[in-house]
Amino acid sequence: MTENNVQIYTVYIHAPAQKVWDAITQSQYTTRWGYGGAVDYGLSAGAEFKHLTTPAMREMGLGDVAVSGTVVEVDPPRKLVLQWQPAWHQDKPATQVTWEITAYPDDVTKVVLTHDLSDAPELGAEFAGGSEPASGGGGWPWALSDLKSLLETGEAMAGDPA
């Protein structure tokens, strides 16, 4: 795999843009897709955010917070920019994650996730899905696929992660 300092993923989801926004920013959804865990957002520029761990994550040795950071920009339900710091890489600089949400007719929504790893390029393979999802390594492709499944079918790909 070649080094990819800025990763860009696009997915089209058959759901209204507001529902996609809610699924990214509200715990009632975040506990059900990707790697699970409730979220605590201050949805204003400069506010802190936390993505909390699941019981399974805590059993593996993580504390109560999986990812923390700062909200850089927020424009509901169109854009969310975060300085993003995973707990398992506290020794690395924070990176930037940008969610761009575009509504199309008939409740189709385009989601573009950009993860700028320029300050921590050695993490690129991990977030690109460097290993199997069952071992915790499906990265953004796994998480976005799970988000799409949840919003379109009401169920996560492999059942709820908790």
Side-chain angles (χ1 to χ4, degrees):
M1 178 175 204
T2 61
E3 193 173 276
N4 187 356
N5 294 344
V6 179
Q7 299 177 5
I8 301 171
Y9 302 96
T10 302
V11 63
Y12 291 86
I13 301 174
H14 189 242
Q18 184 64 51
K19 189 170 184 179
V20 173
W21 176 266
D22 293 346
I24 295 165
T25 62
Q26 295 180 11
S27 295
Q28 73 186 55
Y29 292 101
T30 62
T31 56
R32 299 182 57 210
W33 66 271
Y35 298 97
V39 291
D40 181 9
Y41 275 101
L43 285 174
S44 61
E48 293 181 7
F49 84 93
K50 295 177 185 169
H51 197 138
L52 306 177
T53 55
T54 63
M57 290 175 184
R58 288 189 293 280
E59 285 178 21
M60 293 186 312
L62 283 177
D64 292 332
V65 178
V67 178
S68 61
T70 306
V71 176
V72 176
E73 181 181 345
V74 61
D75 180 17
R78 290 172 285 284
K79 189 172 187 180
L80 180 62
V81 182
L82 307 168
Q83 280 301 107
W84 196 82
Q85 182 70 57
W88 60 98
H89 287 304
Q90 287 296 316
D91 60 328
K92 307 291 183 198
T95 56
Q96 186 164 288
V97 171
T98 301
W99 293 89
E100 295 175 284
I101 301 166
T102 305
Y104 286 95
D106 300 320
D107 287 335
V108 171
T109 301
K110 178 182 176 182
V111 178
V112 177
L113 182 135
T114 303
H115 193 166
D116 184 343
L117 293 151
S118 297
D119 291 334
E122 63 278 12
L123 303 179
E126 177 181 344
F127 295 112
S131 60
E132 291 301 311
S135 66
W140 289 119
W142 167 263
L144 290 169
S145 296
D146 209 16
L147 173 64
K148 178 178 174 66
S149 293
L150 177 65
L151 293 177
E152 291 183 347
T153 71
E155 295 182 22
M157 286 188 302
D160 288 346

